[in-house]
Amino acid sequence: MLRHRATAKACARHSRFQKNGVRKNIASRWALASAVFAAVAVTGVSADTLAQPKDDALERAAANYIRFREDVAAIEAMAFDSAEVTREAHRRLGAHNAGEISSGWVAYAALVASDTPEFAASIKKEIKKRRRGKNPGGQAGLMMNLALDPSYARKLNGAETAIASVLAMTAQDAARVTALGEAFKSQAYAMQKTSWGKARVANGQKRLAEVDTFRRSRGAAEAPAFARPAKGGVVAPSLASANEFWAADWGEQTSASDMSESNAQAVIDRVLNLAARYSTDAMNSKLVEVYARNDKSNRCLSMAKLTLDQCIAATRTPYEEAFCLGEHALNDVASCVSWVNGASAS
């Protein structure tokens, strides 16, 4: 009898302890929720907008391509009034490598696709699907479909608009870079009429070494923190919330062509696959490593870099440098990146 009474008292104490613990947990969670809603009220930002990425691997990869844009813009702003213009241009453009630009373009293109409202709406519809047979439905079902069929994302209703956005961005970027390349080539002839344009410069190997030093000193490209509005479990990067260099319309207005290269579809499939995973916050560095690949661009850019280095090594004057930069560091790079849009690439 005493044992039963002791047991009953112990159970009562345990029950009171559990209730107190539950009350404390509820109070703690309520306080946290109140703090969040208070912050939202003060800033005027919706709760959905507070969504932050679990992994910024895609943004970090894309930052390498955006750095190339930044360097192009910096060079555009320089006046052709001294030999330093070609030296600075060579330092900036020569510091990029093929892998960073080619994979960076794929990563950035995926962000452009995921920032397309029509594509986001299709992803939202996909993750609302219910379980069917072996397909678990929801986000897990979408991931299964993407894994089983690399072209699955391209078959979604909003994919065509997303692809058009990517091709337009690519064509416009190529147009702006090529315009600068042609300007450098034109200046190469004009510089022959100036004393500084014909003056001797340091030997080629020394200038190539200078580029390597510059590359090491500038460190890794930094990815911005986007405002990432979330709607129905789907997030978008809001590229315009970063800065002008991340905007999809950074390039020079021009018309985009349809994909005519046989391998372009495979690259676009990787872009959309990454975009779908980014939209559902299912990104990680391994996925970026696997999907952010553009082998044709990589080969073309590697050859352009080799040709640029050989050309620079043979130059003796700033005007010769200007021609090498215009032809190989700008025009060739534009062509190597834009081949998916119908432009040629080696």
Side-chain angles (χ1 to χ4, degrees):
M1 189 68 167
L2 290 173
R3 183 179 302 169
H4 289 302
R5 287 177 181 170
T7 302
K9 289 180 179 179
C11 288
R13 285 196 301 272
H14 181 66
S15 178
R16 286 196 298 274
F17 175 78
Q18 282 190 317
K19 289 178 180 178
N20 289 336
V22 169
R23 289 193 188 99
K24 289 180 180 178
N25 286 338
I26 291 175
S28 175
R29 290 170 186 168
W30 178 253
L32 178 60
S34 298
V36 171
F37 285 115
V40 170
V42 171
T43 61
V45 180
S46 71
D48 277 346
T49 307
L50 296 176
Q52 292 300 315
K54 295 176 183 176
D55 192 307
D56 66 347
L58 194 65
E59 291 95 327
R60 284 185 279 113
N64 290 317
Y65 180 72
I66 300 304
R67 174 174 274 183
F68 177 73
R69 280 182 167 187
E70 292 171 344
D71 285 335
V72 167
I75 294 165
E76 284 174 336
M78 294 190 295
F80 278 89
D81 55 8
S82 73
E84 179 55 25
V85 67
T86 57
R87 296 302 321 119
E88 179 65 9
H90 182 217
R91 281 190 290 269
R92 287 178 174 271
L93 298 175
H96 295 274
N97 68 45
E100 288 178 349
I101 295 180
S102 60
S103 64
W105 175 86
V106 176
Y108 179 67
L111 290 172
V112 171
S114 63
D115 210 20
T116 307
E118 293 83 352
F119 187 74
S122 291
I123 296 298
K124 183 178 179 180
K125 186 176 180 180
E126 283 290 307
I127 62 178
K128 282 187 174 181
K129 287 183 177 179
R130 296 182 178 180
R131 179 186 181 93
R132 285 186 180 181
K134 294 182 179 179
N135 192 306
Q139 181 185 9
L142 174 60
M143 295 302 108
M144 176 182 289
N145 288 330
L146 291 172
L148 293 175
D149 181 4
S151 65
Y152 185 81
R154 182 159 43 91
K155 299 171 185 176
L156 301 179
N157 289 334
E160 187 173 337
T161 306
I163 293 171
S165 297
V166 169
L167 295 181
M169 173 275 293
T170 305
Q172 290 170 13
D173 278 17
R176 181 167 175 174
V177 175
T178 300
L180 182 59
E182 290 304 306
F184 261 72
K185 289 168 65 178
S186 295
Q187 286 295 332
Y189 295 106
M191 288 162 63
Q192 294 182 53
K193 299 177 182 179
T194 66
S195 57
W196 61 265
K198 295 184 293 183
R200 301 283 287 188
V201 293
N203 70 72
Q205 292 305 318
K206 184 176 180 180
R207 282 174 280 141
L208 292 175
E210 182 183 331
V211 169
D212 289 336
T213 300
F214 175 77
R215 174 180 171 78
R216 290 193 298 270
S217 67
R218 75 193 316 205
E222 295 184 3
F226 296 120
R228 298 173 82 245
K231 296 180 181 180
V234 176
V235 297
S238 238
L239 293 171
S241 69
N243 57 53
E244 61 181 298
F245 301 111
W246 285 85
D249 60 354
W250 171 87
E252 188 171 293
Q253 288 299 315
T254 187
S255 58
S257 304
D258 293 328
M259 291 180 291
S260 57
E261 291 281 345
S262 58
N263 295 327
Q265 290 283 14
V267 174
I268 292 298
D269 284 344
R270 294 189 192 118
V271 167
L272 296 180
N273 202 305
L274 284 170
R277 294 172 186 276
Y278 180 90
S279 296
T280 55
D281 220 359
M283 189 57 60
N284 60 59
S285 56
K286 185 62 179 177
L287 287 170
V288 175
E289 181 183 339
V290 171
Y291 287 102
R293 287 177 37 246
N294 187 339
D295 295 337
K296 186 169 184 176
S297 283
N298 192 37
R299 290 193 297 271
C300 181
L301 288 165
S302 295
M303 181 57 68
K305 181 66 164 67
L306 177 62
T307 307
L308 172 65
D309 288 350
Q310 291 174 338
C311 191
I312 291 293
T315 60
R316 295 292 180 269
T317 62
Y319 81 81
E320 292 173 327
E321 261 192 334
F323 186 88
C324 290
L325 293 167
E327 186 69 13
H328 305 301
L330 292 164
N331 289 358
D332 284 356
V333 170
S335 177
C336 289
V337 172
S338 63
W339 71 269
V340 295
N341 196 45
S344 61
S346 302

